[in-house]
Amino acid sequence: MNKLEQPPVIPAYQSGVSPESGVASVERRAFGLPGVPAVLVWIVLAGLTLWMLAAEQFVVGVILGVLTFFGLLGFFIVQPNQASLLTLFGRYVGTERRNGFYWTNPFTVRKRISLRIRNFNSERLKVNDQMGNPIEIAAVIVWRVVDTARAVFDVEDYMAFVAIQAETGLRHLASQYPYDNYDEAGTSLRGNPDEVAEALVSELGTRLRHAGVEILEARLSHLAYSPEIAGAMLQRQQASAIIAARTQIVQGAVGMVQMALQQLSEQKIVELDEERKAQMVSNLLVVLTSERGTQPIVNAGSLY
């Protein structure tokens, strides 16, 4: 192997490497004793300290007093849907997720991490869609911390990391789809909100797994053309709607004319030559497809 070529580094969460030798941190359970029995032991220790001091056993009393003081620092409380991350002299020793009252090594430093579900509403971003049209887009993201070790040790600030990566992922998603598909083929931001939401969840999940964050839901909260092209795109949408409506009207009119000619022929109400059929078809199409009400001219004479 060339000296300049280095083998790829496999993250710890993919290779199963221990946190001490790998890149990514791995959460593990911390050591913690139930708080109520520990309180009883602390009360007994405090009583012995006072008894020794009263008996003028100052050396033993001072030692017990120091132990009593440091023992008091080991108590901590974990609220529901919160975790307490413990470090000892700069070394990660574990995370306590069970809510309640506990006692642990008094020299550990405890940091509270919320495990509750959070909402993040991104700012309105101005990006270009797949067709190059400038659009405004925003999203609501529902997330929570699932790995406290990664959230604290693998990123500088996991909340800021979520905000920045959400913006980056939203920009990348908007560039992968057009705002609208006028030929009704393919996925678009406006026409397929569920598919776009699933793609956004997958995109953000890949980006935020390094921070121990799980994306529960992500949906677009705002989607519009930029003001500089909104008028032109509105005219295009109106034209498409008019064409679609006219197409349906013409199809219905042709069917009605065909039905009228067929019934006249089957019931032998009147015999029409090809020229009169063409004139009748023209008149019926004008009446059926006209935007305004037509004024018929009644022929009181002969048929021709």
Side-chain angles (χ1 to χ4, degrees):
M1 179 182 293
N2 193 342
K3 294 183 178 180
L4 298 179
E5 297 179 358
Q6 299 294 334
V9 177
I10 302 177
Y13 55 85
Q14 294 180 355
S15 62
V17 184
S18 62
E20 291 78 12
S21 60
V23 176
S25 302
V26 178
E27 178 182 319
R28 60 175 178 266
R29 184 173 175 178
F31 168 77
L33 297 177
V36 175
V39 167
L40 298 178
V41 174
W42 182 86
I43 292 175
V44 172
L45 188 60
L48 288 175
T49 301
L50 295 177
W51 183 74
M52 286 297 177
L53 293 176
E56 297 183 355
Q57 299 290 333
F58 296 106
V59 177
V60 179
V62 170
I63 295 175
L64 291 177
V66 172
L67 294 177
T68 302
F69 172 75
F70 282 106
L72 183 63
L73 300 179
F75 294 101
F76 66 99
I77 297 176
V78 180
Q79 300 291 340
N81 282 329
Q82 285 190 348
S84 184
L85 185 142
L86 282 64
T87 57
L88 179 63
F89 303 124
R91 182 183 179 87
Y92 172 63
V93 296
T95 300
E96 183 59 68
R97 286 174 169 262
R98 300 170 298 171
N99 59 307
F101 182 45
Y102 297 96
W103 184 90
T104 188
N105 190 334
F107 294 100
T108 57
V109 177
R110 280 141 268 170
K111 181 176 182 180
R112 294 182 178 179
I113 305 295
S114 177
L115 304 178
R116 296 167 184 169
I117 298 175
R118 312 185 192 189
N119 282 329
F120 172 73
N121 192 6
S122 68
E123 298 181 357
R124 293 185 180 181
L125 306 177
K126 186 176 181 181
V127 297
N128 293 332
D129 66 354
Q130 189 182 39
M131 307 301 294
N133 300 318
I135 62 175
E136 293 180 350
I137 190 171
V140 174
I141 301 167
V142 183
W143 62 280
R144 65 180 177 183
V145 175
V146 294
D147 193 311
T148 58
R150 292 186 187 180
V152 174
F153 300 123
D154 290 359
V155 294
E156 185 67 27
D157 185 349
Y158 68 91
M159 297 186 67
F161 187 82
V162 170
I164 294 175
Q165 292 300 322
E167 178 179 342
T168 305
L170 187 58
R171 287 182 179 275
H172 181 263
L173 177 78
S175 64
Q176 301 301 310
Y177 302 97
Y179 179 91
D180 203 349
N181 275 330
Y182 296 97
D183 55 357
E184 298 182 358
T187 304
S188 64
L189 297 174
R190 187 185 68 86
N192 305 92
D194 294 335
E195 290 80 357
V196 172
E198 292 178 0
L200 183 58
V201 170
S202 178
E203 174 84 15
L204 297 179
T206 303
R207 293 175 178 269
L208 296 177
R209 62 187 175 91
H210 304 289
V213 172
E214 178 187 11
I215 301 299
L216 301 178
E217 185 181 4
R219 288 190 175 273
L220 300 183
S221 60
H222 175 77
L223 181 64
Y225 282 112
S226 296
E228 56 266 25
I229 66 167
M233 290 301 174
L234 179 60
Q235 293 179 355
R236 181 175 180 177
Q237 291 178 354
Q238 292 175 346
S240 299
I242 292 174
I243 292 174
R246 286 294 179 186
T247 301
Q248 187 173 2
I249 290 174
V250 170
Q251 291 177 354
V254 171
M256 295 175 65
V257 170
Q258 182 180 5
M259 181 179 60
L261 293 176
Q262 182 179 0
Q263 291 185 1
L264 288 175
S265 176
E266 291 178 353
Q267 297 179 12
K268 297 181 180 181
I269 298 176
V270 62
E271 296 291 338
L272 298 176
D273 56 12
E274 296 299 326
E275 181 180 356
R276 294 303 176 183
K277 286 183 179 180
Q279 184 177 0
M280 181 179 178
V281 169
S282 175
N283 294 336
L284 287 176
L285 288 177
V286 170
V287 172
L288 294 174
T289 60
S290 178
E291 293 184 357
R292 300 179 181 179
T294 57
Q295 299 294 331
I297 298 176
V298 177
N299 184 6
S302 62
L303 179 62
Y304 301 101

